[in-house]
Amino acid sequence: MAPRILCVAEKPAIAKAVAQHLAGGNLNVRNINGNQYIKNYEFNFSFGPPWGNCSVTMTSVIGHLTTIDFDQAYRQWSSCRPLQLFDAPIVSGVDSDKKAVAENIGQQARHARALFIWTDCDREGEYIGSEVRQAALRGNPRLEVKRARFSNTERAHVLRAAQNPVDLDDRQVNAVGARIEVDLRLGASFTRFQTLTLQAMGGDLAQRVISYGSCQFPTLGFVVDRYFRVQRFIPEKFWSMKVMHQRDDVNVAFSWDRNRLFDRTTVVIFFERCLIARLARVRKMQKKPTSKWRPLPLTTVELQKLGSLFLRIDSQRVMKIAEDLYTKGWISYPRTETDQFDKGMDLKKIIEKQVQDRDWGAYAQGLLNGGFKQPRAGRNNDQAHPPIHPVNYVTLDSLGGDERRVYEFVVRRFLGCCSEDAKGELTTIELQYGDEGFHTNGLLVLERNYLDIYKYDRWESSQQLPNFTVNETFEPTEANITDGQTSPPGYLTEPELISLMDANGIGTDATMAEHIAKIKERDYVRTQLQGGGVRGDNDGGSRGTRGGGGRGGRGGRGGRGGRDGSNASSGGSGIQQFIPTTLGVALIEGYDNMGLDTSLGKPFLRKEMEIKMKEICAGRKSRNDFVQETLEQYKEAFVRTQQQVDMLRAVSGDAN
């Protein structure tokens, strides 16, 4: 009798896709009791040694199976002081709406020889895999447990993953488990403290839940910091000089080497010396080759930033679309830090699949006919997934609006990576006019190369400069003093916010979009389109308008708690800017004014957490050590916050 293998995926759609590939179309489908989305797929497959030909049941979970919470005695807000939640006992259990899913796994495991886990290959996926393992071992404690490593649902890739399983990485499991516990304790303790303190002030805050999260607050802090820079900006007047000379019917404008000065008298003196000299001398005339580099392979962070910048889709929506495209088998796994393709990866085979497209097929064929270049290698490799790239071809007409645009971006980015850099000629002319230097540059694009496919980059020829000769002299056609004033920075845009979060270790590439969505949901910030009015979830009010809030504080991962992810809304037709509400400003100001060693509105504590979680993954730190060290740091901040709570009350009065 053939041995039985139980396979469990993270999502129903992945289970279906994998089962169809392994079964070759010959499978039986059974419903399970208690959940309409979960199916059991039954088929035969040869896994190779030591399993050989096996009878397989493929099923799935729907994100996380389990949840943790405080013991029942600590769950009511009035049951204990918030500080006690740092040490209160925690219990773990299967979510009530996931019990049928867990029971199905236990039942299917009873007669299985081995469990193959097919969750996403990242930290969170590894933890969900451990939840699957736990449910299966309850049904069969003798079960052998393996996991399939895969980054897309293309058939050949799935077959290789099935025949080359690896062990579950318990270090990653421990890192996520530690983060979940810390996020629960911090979120609940600070949320209860903030809420109970500010509700007591009455007014609009009387019914508000003021949630806290260790990623949420630094994210809000970035927005508030930029807001204050804009509000406190004082423009300064400056003066500069410009020289123009007409030659061969071309007006050539030369810029001052000093750019600008903030003292008019000094500029006037420099300008008069130029006029006294009368003649300008060409001290340099140079033409040299230049290039615009093709883009690096695509990472999750870049996809979110560029999706907002070029596609005008907010980061949460971009990630939802990318996960849907991955689940359907059109692109690779969209959560990756890797910006370099493995040298052994057959990229031309991926390009071949795009030849049939009416828009970029001819370009793809040109790459195969000799235009292919090995993509540039970035500095990052998470050792788990390749950069985001198309896996299979799908016509744009068969995709929805935003889905079509994201898929097209991924394809064009990949083809651009496999192309030649754009090439041009840069002309530089430098003048000596009196004691001052002036310069101008001209660009002539000679070969567009990757720019022909990657339409999101711009590199255009400038006005062509006439010839000048080194050491020749001429009297400029025109010389002027110009003036202006400095401009304030803009409010923080979504691409800028993602860059700040990435640079400061706030969240992971997989969770940044969720943290941004959370501060909007909590009404700590509102969004507006650049040059437009303020937008909110409830109305179009300006800074200071308030809406409802939720408890929050548990961390987690977008798209892993629902059937196939959340339905995020589109970001509109412009780049979003973030404006903090009065409450958002008050919370950050309150913590900043307390004089804590490290303000909770700054990124440093959370960045340290992320570094320590990586140490758990590397085996250099234990889960218990991480939890204790982190809670001690935040507990000290919590005690100081209690002692100086009047600071928080004082600034929160404006939000009332």
Side-chain angles (χ1 to χ4, degrees):
M1 183 176 177
R4 291 191 62 188
I5 301 289
L6 172 62
C7 295
V8 183
E10 187 173 320
K11 306 177 183 75
I14 297 296
K16 180 179 180 180
V18 171
Q20 288 174 335
H21 289 322
L22 298 184
N26 186 19
L27 51 76
N28 295 318
V29 184
R30 301 186 188 280
N31 296 322
I32 75 163
N33 293 325
N35 193 296
Q36 61 178 317
Y37 304 115
I38 302 295
K39 311 291 182 186
N40 290 344
Y41 301 92
E42 299 173 351
F43 54 91
N44 295 318
F45 181 75
S46 178
F47 285 93
W51 296 280
N53 291 316
C54 298
S55 172
V56 182
T57 298
M58 181 92 201
T59 188
S60 76
V61 292
I62 309 175
H64 284 281
L65 269 180
T66 64
T67 187
I68 66 169
D69 205 344
F70 296 106
D71 187 82
Q72 191 66 42
Y74 294 85
R75 292 183 190 176
Q76 297 299 318
W77 281 40
S78 58
S79 62
C80 67
R81 291 179 294 109
L83 181 61
Q84 291 178 261
L85 298 177
F86 278 87
D87 306 296
I90 285 175
V91 294
S92 176
V94 176
D95 280 335
S96 58
D97 62 340
K98 304 289 179 66
K99 287 183 177 177
V101 179
E103 289 171 2
N104 178 55
I105 292 171
Q107 290 170 2
Q108 298 304 318
R110 286 175 189 165
H111 304 292
R113 175 180 167 185
L115 166 68
F116 275 34
I117 294 168
W118 289 78
T119 52
D120 293 341
C121 293
D122 58 11
R123 254 195 239 163
E124 205 80 16
E126 218 70 12
Y127 187 83
I128 294 172
S130 75
E131 296 175 315
V132 171
R133 176 178 62 186
Q134 186 178 25
L137 290 176
R138 277 198 291 265
N140 182 357
R142 300 179 303 278
L143 202 63
E144 185 174 359
V145 180
K146 292 289 182 180
R147 80 109 72 234
R149 295 201 66 83
F150 66 107
S151 58
N152 63 70
T153 56
E154 191 265 334
R155 184 174 183 276
H157 185 73
V158 166
L159 295 179
R160 282 195 301 273
Q163 294 171 336
N164 296 277
V166 298
D167 292 328
L168 204 62
D169 187 344
D170 281 306
R171 292 174 177 176
Q172 293 192 54
V173 172
N174 287 332
V176 175
R179 188 214 74 216
I180 290 174
E181 178 181 346
V182 167
D183 282 350
L184 170 64
R185 293 187 183 280
L186 299 182
S189 57
F190 278 98
T191 295
R192 288 190 193 182
F193 172 73
Q194 290 178 167
T195 300
L196 294 173
T197 298
L198 299 182
Q199 281 184 348
M201 297 175 64
D204 289 343
L205 296 176
Q207 303 300 318
R208 289 290 300 265
V209 175
I210 316 298
S211 73
Y212 171 86
S214 59
C215 284
Q216 184 179 322
F217 263 52
T219 302
L220 173 61
F222 292 133
V223 176
V224 173
D225 180 65
R226 178 65 68 85
Y227 170 78
F228 279 134
R229 286 178 57 195
V230 173
Q231 295 299 310
R232 295 167 179 169
F233 180 83
I234 299 175
E236 290 185 82
K237 192 156 187 179
F238 61 80
W239 290 264
S240 184
M241 290 191 288
K242 284 211 169 178
V243 169
M244 191 275 288
H245 187 64
Q246 187 177 69
R247 176 169 293 187
D248 301 337
D249 295 325
V250 176
N251 291 326
V252 184
F254 294 88
S255 300
W256 191 20
D257 289 352
R258 297 181 192 267
N259 187 21
R260 64 191 185 190
L261 295 177
F262 293 91
D263 183 82
R264 183 179 183 278
T265 301
T266 302
V267 175
V268 169
I269 292 172
F270 288 148
F271 181 67
E272 289 176 345
R273 289 176 181 174
C274 292
L275 296 181
I276 291 170
R278 195 173 67 82
L279 296 179
R281 179 179 61 86
V282 178
R283 66 187 186 197
K284 180 179 180 181
M285 169 74 185
Q286 182 185 64
K287 292 179 182 286
K288 65 178 182 180
T290 188
S291 298
K292 183 170 178 61
W293 289 353
R294 61 197 186 278
L296 284 168
L298 186 61
T299 64
T300 304
V301 170
E302 284 298 299
L303 175 61
Q304 293 175 82
K305 287 163 54 178
L306 300 181
S308 177
L309 183 63
F310 295 140
L311 307 182
R312 303 295 196 261
I313 305 173
D314 71 47
S315 57
Q316 190 179 35
R317 173 73 174 157
V318 166
M319 289 309 299
K320 173 62 172 65
I321 293 170
E323 289 206 354
D324 287 347
L325 291 171
Y326 156 69
T327 299
K328 294 172 183 176
W330 304 131
I331 69 172
S332 62
Y333 188 59
R335 298 182 186 272
T336 177
E337 299 174 12
T338 302
D339 56 6
Q340 51 188 256
F341 283 106
D342 185 85
K343 289 292 194 294
M345 193 169 176
D346 190 350
L347 301 181
K348 290 185 178 180
K349 182 175 288 188
I350 300 172
I351 295 172
E352 284 176 3
K353 296 180 180 180
Q354 300 296 328
V355 168
Q356 57 194 298
D357 188 81
R358 66 172 181 263
D359 292 326
W360 56 74
Y363 187 91
Q365 186 63 59
L367 295 180
L368 297 175
N369 291 344
F372 174 83
K373 292 285 289 185
Q374 184 66 28
R376 296 165 55 206
R379 298 179 179 179
N380 305 300
N381 191 331
D382 60 18
Q383 302 296 322
H385 298 287
I388 303 167
H389 62 276
V391 172
N392 285 304
Y393 174 73
V394 59
T395 61
L396 295 183
D397 291 341
S398 64
L399 299 175
D402 286 346
E403 198 173 43
R404 177 190 304 127
R405 295 163 64 214
V406 173
Y407 178 76
E408 179 182 5
F409 176 79
V410 171
V411 173
R412 289 182 179 274
R413 174 78 172 216
F414 172 71
L415 295 177
C417 289
C418 298
S419 304
E420 284 270 12
D421 297 336
K423 299 182 185 301
E425 182 181 74
L426 180 65
T427 301
T428 301
I429 304 172
E430 295 180 0
L431 302 180
Q432 189 71 34
Y433 189 26
D435 295 330
E436 300 305 303
F438 295 82
H439 64 273
T440 189
N441 295 300
L443 173 67
L444 176 62
V445 176
L446 302 174
E447 299 175 28
R448 287 180 53 80
N449 296 330
Y450 90 89
L451 293 169
D452 285 332
I453 189 66
Y454 193 64
K455 61 185 182 181
Y456 313 97
D457 270 0
R458 293 286 180 269
W459 202 50
E460 305 290 346
S461 295
S462 64
Q463 174 183 263
Q464 294 310 292
L465 299 176
N467 285 322
F468 287 81
T469 305
V470 174
N471 289 325
E472 76 164 283
T473 59
F474 60 86
E475 184 173 356
T477 306
E478 190 177 308
N480 294 304
I481 292 179
T482 62
D483 61 15
Q485 65 179 20
T486 55
S487 301
Y491 293 113
L492 205 62
T493 65
E494 188 167 37
E496 290 173 330
L497 179 54
I498 292 170
S499 293
L500 285 170
M501 294 172 72
D502 184 42
N504 288 277
I506 301 303
T508 65
D509 56 357
T511 61
M512 289 177 190
E514 180 188 355
H515 300 315
I516 293 172
K518 187 67 69 178
I519 62 172
K520 291 193 286 185
E521 176 189 330
R522 299 305 186 210
D523 202 36
Y524 296 158
V525 303
R526 293 298 179 97
T527 60
Q528 70 177 24
L529 303 182
Q530 279 186 326
V534 177
R535 296 177 52 186
D537 292 333
N538 303 318
D539 55 46
S542 60
R543 193 177 81 81
T545 305
R546 290 169 292 280
R551 174 172 177 182
R554 293 222 184 165
R557 171 124 172 225
R560 289 209 158 167
R563 178 158 58 96
D564 272 320
S566 61
N567 293 318
S569 61
S570 175
S573 58
I575 299 177
Q576 290 189 36
Q577 293 178 313
F578 295 97
I579 314 292
T581 61
T582 304
L583 178 59
V585 171
L587 290 171
I588 297 301
E589 265 198 308
Y591 283 111
D592 285 352
N593 292 344
M594 288 179 187
L596 302 174
D597 290 340
T598 304
S599 172
L600 299 180
K602 303 301 182 187
F604 309 115
L605 284 177
R606 183 67 197 202
K607 183 174 185 177
E608 189 173 339
M609 277 180 62
E610 293 290 342
I611 291 171
K612 289 178 179 178
M613 280 192 281
K614 289 180 180 178
E615 290 179 348
I616 297 176
C617 294
R620 295 191 295 269
K621 185 177 286 293
S622 72
R623 171 177 174 169
N624 287 338
D625 286 347
F626 165 83
V627 171
Q628 292 305 314
E629 290 172 10
T630 304
L631 290 180
E632 282 300 319
Q633 286 179 304
Y634 277 93
K635 192 173 186 179
E636 181 181 342
F638 187 92
V639 171
R640 291 280 300 277
T641 299
Q642 285 184 313
Q643 295 169 347
Q644 302 188 54
V645 67
D646 286 343
M647 296 280 191
L648 191 59
R649 291 193 183 105
V651 293
S652 297
D654 291 338
N656 224 335

